């Protein structure tokens, strides 16, 4: 990797406190017993894409640690984005297990509040820094700074992103890598290098600010699909006239005949899935969402919002440059974005034709040379039950980590059923006088909300984690505890919360009743990783042309012992794509006291209510509120009307 000028990493806080380590010092080879206090400063602001700074420099892989080039190229089209330190992706946090992380987040957006979630970090003992607005903290208001501080105690490939509105879709995200000493790394012998600049982070991208798609339009651009993808913040774009932008593809360099560990992060926000392929190279996957699996070698990886994959590439091919592609699937099938894998000493332009959306690289190009059958890793594929299918599914993966014996017992301590749903309304049902319902535009004549168990979740006015007494008990609800104004047949809007006993084994059964073809909802659990006990996509109980699974039908399958469960070595994850018209069975031990969100990571679905809070343990079990922790909530003092005489006296004084 190119050398980095560490002065680009320094700021006033680092200069004043010699005990703090900067980003480059923390992105090191980890050693047993050595830890650091790693300090980062995030300045969030609105900033132009491909603006004036891009005439001065173009960012490369070295910019991920220190912001020494203030050009945010995107796909070259002009728009305003949200950036951290004028970078997209934002600064990469790369540390060692056990390091203490301090991040000062300064909100310079002028108009919006913000929080940052550390996706994949368990926050064991530090739930107040999980970064969920109005659940774990008050949002950071304009011109204010919030200091996040916690230990990086679970190693793996994680990332950070805004957890407020659609800000992640506008650019507020970046990688968060936690390494461990080679002596503790089970797969250290499978690769020679694990470099800071071998992180591939992809995001879906709109050519306008995301708020223009929320709640949506009834004419023009009515959908919320991505316009394009970016790889490490860059991407080419061909407009309707065939003109291309001048943004170069991201280039990742390698030496020949070495083995490299790559870390792939899917920072999508919409319903698209993407298929990653590296021309001429197979991918040996060793970890998913920071959880080690028994290695599997594939030609491509299909991923959804929030997932992460670690894989090893052997650079034993003819030295050259090779295309890296992320190809959209389903509703994003017309989108394809590229980067380049360049062998050192070779040209940075591949010798093969540049792939296009109509002529992409075959997903199994490696297999055409080496195997009889192409293989793609697609955790929640539609044909997982087909023998000799060309996709490797969750059921084909095995955990390489010791598994809590409680996870593997026949019955859990707590069993939850969560049905994914959608309710559509006509305008005269949505726009009722003096009512202001949360909604998304579904089509020209319909609006919708999203639900779990027929509940569209609302947000508290103050975080129950630190201000429990400020949130009325009757504001919370669950399917077994609906407010008086709700019925079991109509969707209910309230703060969806389920209480879970501390240290219990919890099974979550997620059933897709959403009734939308090809949509797979990617659900993320804060505070934990879970084991994937089962994924399936059975035929529904009807003989319709497009049969749908229901919660009742899932329970019938369960009662008849027709859910094939892996109670031997189920793989671990923290973000799971639920098969379309299917189900996911997940288990975890609830050993981390706090309020933890479980939600769809497709951002518009979450905003429309597809989330639930898990309260793990009682309030007394939760770590104490940090000293001087910010407070928030509604401000409604008593109405004080001045009498007429008082007003006359005031007027006379003014005269």
């Amino acid at each position: 990797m190119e050398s980095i000028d560490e002065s680009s990493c320094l700021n006033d806080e680092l200069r004043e406190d010699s005990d703090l380590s900067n980003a480059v010092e923390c992105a090191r080879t980890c050693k047993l017993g050595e830890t650091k206090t790693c300090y980062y400063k995030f300045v969030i602001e609105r900033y132009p894409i491909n603006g004036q700074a891009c005439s001065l420099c173009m960012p490369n892989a070295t910019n991920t640690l220190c912001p020494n080039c203030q050009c945010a190229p995107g796909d070259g089209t002009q728009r305003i984005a949200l950036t951290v330190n004028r970078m997209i992706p934002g600064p990469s946090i790369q540390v060692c297990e056990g390091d203490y992380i301090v991040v000062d987040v300064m909100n310079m957006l002028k108009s919006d509040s913000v929080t940052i979630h550390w996706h994949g970090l368990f926050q064991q003992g530090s739930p107040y820094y999980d970064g969920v607005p109005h659940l774990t903290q008050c949002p950071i208001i304009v011109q204010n700074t919030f200091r996040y501080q916690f230990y990086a105690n679970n190693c793996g490939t994680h990332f950070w992103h805004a957890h407020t509105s659609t800000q992640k879709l506008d650019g507020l995200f970046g990688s968060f890598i936690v390494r461990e000493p080679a002596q503790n790394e089970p797969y250290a012998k499978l690769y020679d290098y694990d470099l800071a600049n071998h992180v591939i982070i992809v995001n879906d991208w709109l050519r306008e600010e995301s708020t223009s798609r929320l709640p949506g339009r009834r004419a023009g651009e009515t959908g919320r699909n991505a316009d394009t993808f970016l790889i490490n913040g860059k991407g080419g774009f061909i407009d309707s006239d065939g003109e291309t932008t001048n943004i170069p593809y991201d280039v990742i360099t390698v030496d020949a005949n070495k083995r490299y560990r790559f870390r792939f992060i899917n920072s999508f926000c919409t319903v698209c899935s993407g298929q990653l392929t590296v021309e001429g190279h197979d991918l040996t996957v060793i970890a998913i969402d920071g959880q080690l699996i028994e290695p599997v070698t594939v030609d491509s990886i299909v991923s959804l919002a929030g997932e992460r994959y670690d894989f090893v590439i052997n650079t034993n091919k003819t030295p050259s440059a090779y295309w890296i592609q992320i190809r959209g699937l389903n509703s994003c099938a017309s989108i394809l974005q590229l980067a380049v894998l360049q062998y050192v000493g070779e040209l940075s332009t591949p010798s093969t034709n540049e792939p296009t959306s109509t002529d992409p690289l075959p997903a199994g190009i490696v297999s055409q040379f080496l195997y009889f059958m192409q293989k793609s890793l697609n955790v929640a594929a539609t044909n997982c039950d087909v023998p000799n299918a060309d996709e490797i599914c969750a059921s084909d993966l095995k955990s390489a980590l010791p598994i809590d014996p409680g996870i593997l017992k026949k019955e859990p301590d707590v069993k939850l059923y969560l049905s994914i749903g959608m309710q559509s309304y006509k305008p005269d049902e949505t726009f009722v006088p003096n009512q202001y319902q949360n909604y998304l535009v579904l089509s020209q004549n319909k609006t919708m909300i999203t639900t779990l168990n027929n509940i569209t979740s609302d947000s508290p006015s103050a975080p129950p984690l630190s201000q429990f007494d400020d949130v009325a008990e009757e504001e919370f609800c669950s399917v077994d505890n609906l407010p008086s104004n709700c019925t079991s047949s109509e969707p209910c809007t309230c703060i969806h919360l389920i209480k879970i006993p501390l240290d219990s084994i919890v099974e979550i059964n997620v059933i897709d009743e959403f009734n939308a073809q090809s949509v797979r909802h990617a659900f993320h659990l804060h505070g934990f990783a879970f084991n994937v006990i089962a994924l399936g996509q059975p035929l529904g109980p009807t003989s319709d042309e497009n049969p749908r699974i229901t919660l009742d039908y899932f329970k019938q399958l369960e009662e008849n012992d027709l859910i094939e469960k892996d109670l031997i070595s189920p793989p671990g994850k923290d973000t799971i794509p639920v098969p379309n018209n299917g189900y996911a069975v997940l288990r975890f031990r609830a050993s981390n006291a706090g309020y933890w969100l479980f939600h769809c990571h497709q951002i518009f679905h979450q905003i429309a209510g597809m989330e639930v809070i898990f309260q793990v343990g009682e309030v007394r079990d939760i770590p104490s509120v940090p000293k001087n922790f910010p407070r928030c909530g509604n401000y409604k003092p008593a109405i004080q009307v001045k009498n007429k005489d008082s007003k006359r006296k005031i007027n006379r004084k003014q005269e």
Side-chain angles (χ1 to χ4, degrees), residues 254-288:
V254 292
D255 285 312
N257 298 311
K258 302 295 182 183
R259 300 167 304 166
Y260 292 92
R261 179 174 184 164
F262 277 74
R263 297 171 182 270
F264 172 58
I265 300 167
N266 186 318
S267 187
F268 285 4
C269 295
T270 59
V271 299
C272 302
S273 54
Q275 187 168 25
L276 177 75
T277 309
V278 181
E279 181 186 17
H281 296 73
D282 54 358
L283 317 175
T284 300
V285 182
I286 59 175
I288 304 179

Side-chain angles (χ1 to χ4, degrees), residues 200 254 275-283 298-300 311 313-326 337-343 347-355 359-370:
I200 299 174
V254 292
Q275 187 168 25
L276 177 75
T277 309
V278 181
E279 181 186 17
H281 296 73
D282 54 358
L283 317 175
V298 295
D299 307 295
S300 63
F311 57 85
I313 285 182
N314 191 336
T315 57
N316 56 359
K317 310 305 176 187
T318 301
S320 185
Y322 296 88
W323 294 112
I324 300 171
Q325 76 168 6
I326 183 76
Q337 194 54 266
L338 301 170
V340 175
L341 181 76
Q342 178 193 14
Y343 282 55
L347 296 175
S348 60
T349 302
S351 58
T352 54
N353 291 335
E354 179 172 324
D359 186 24
L361 289 172
I365 190 166
V366 181
S367 296
Q368 291 178 4
F369 303 125
L370 301 180

Side-chain angles (χ1 to χ4, degrees), residues 49-71:
I49 293 299
N50 197 17
Q52 291 173 300
C54 294
S55 63
L56 303 176
C57 61
M58 184 62 62
N60 53 36
T62 61
N63 293 101
T64 61
L65 293 174
C66 296
N68 58 350
C69 175
Q70 295 190 3
C71 166

Side-chain angles (χ1 to χ4, degrees), residues 501-541:
L502 186 63
D503 210 39
S504 59
I505 298 296
V506 182
E507 180 178 288
I508 311 173
N509 296 278
V510 188
I511 299 94
D512 178 22
E513 295 183 305
F514 194 72
N515 197 22
Q517 288 187 349
S518 77
V519 173
R520 292 184 293 173
H521 302 270
F523 271 80
H524 172 54
L525 177 61
H526 292 221
F528 302 89
F530 45 72
N531 290 93
V532 183
I533 304 300
L535 285 181
Q537 190 187 38
L539 292 177

Side-chain angles (χ1 to χ4, degrees), residues 22-249:
N22 65 47
V24 174
E25 293 170 334
C26 288
R28 65 200 189 276
T29 300
C30 301
K31 299 178 181 178
L32 287 172
E34 179 195 83
T35 60
K36 293 180 180 291
T37 299
C38 300
Y39 178 82
Y40 305 83
K41 188 170 187 176
F42 284 11
V43 179
I44 301 178
E45 59 183 343
R46 278 189 167 79
Y47 193 70
I49 293 299
N50 197 17
Q52 291 173 300
C54 294
S55 63
L56 303 176
C57 61
M58 184 62 62
N60 53 36
T62 61
N63 293 101
T64 61
L65 293 174
C66 296
N68 58 350
C69 175
Q70 295 190 3
C71 166
D75 68 349
T77 56
Q78 294 289 320
R79 60 156 288 188
I80 298 298
L82 306 184
T83 64
V84 172
N85 299 352
R86 300 185 175 178
M87 304 165 63
I88 295 180
S92 179
I93 295 178
Q94 304 205 27
V95 299
C96 293
E97 187 176 18
D99 283 353
Y100 193 64
I101 313 303
V102 181
V103 187
D104 283 347
V105 176
M106 178 183 294
N107 182 2
M108 301 295 287
L109 290 177
K110 310 296 184 186
S111 59
D112 298 312
S113 60
V114 66
T115 65
I116 300 294
H117 169 57
W118 316 94
H119 186 118
L121 277 295
F122 296 155
Q123 299 293 353
Q124 185 84 39
S126 54
Y128 300 93
Y129 300 109
D130 191 47
V132 181
H134 296 290
L135 179 63
T136 65
Q137 69 171 96
C138 304
I140 310 166
I141 60 176
V142 177
Q143 296 285 8
N144 275 240
T145 300
F146 183 90
R147 175 166 290 174
Y148 293 91
Q149 47 188 330
F150 51 87
Y151 285 100
N153 281 339
N154 57 297
C155 59
T157 299
H158 315 302
F159 73 122
W160 58 262
H161 60 80
H163 217 291
T164 27
S165 186
T166 58
Q167 292 172 339
K168 173 173 173 273
L169 184 54
D170 284 324
L172 296 187
F173 63 90
S175 57
F176 195 133
I177 312 301
V178 183
R179 296 182 174 85
E180 59 186 333
Q183 299 94 317
N184 296 341
E185 168 53 67
Y187 291 146
K189 293 183 179 180
L190 295 184
Y191 54 88
D192 303 307
Y193 298 103
D194 178 12
L195 302 180
N197 59 335
H198 283 180
V199 175
I200 299 174
I201 185 166
V202 299
N203 66 292
D204 42 9
W205 191 241
L206 305 180
R207 297 198 174 95
E208 58 186 339
E209 285 201 58
S210 60
T211 50
S212 65
R213 306 275 181 100
L214 179 70
R217 305 171 179 138
R218 61 176 182 167
E221 179 53 70
T222 59
R224 280 169 287 274
N225 282 340
D227 292 326
T228 188
F229 300 151
L230 302 178
I231 300 178
N232 291 341
K234 296 180 184 177
F237 169 59
I238 303 176
D239 64 20
S240 57
D241 297 323
E243 297 296 323
T244 61
T245 58
N246 60 351
I247 303 303
Y249 294 125

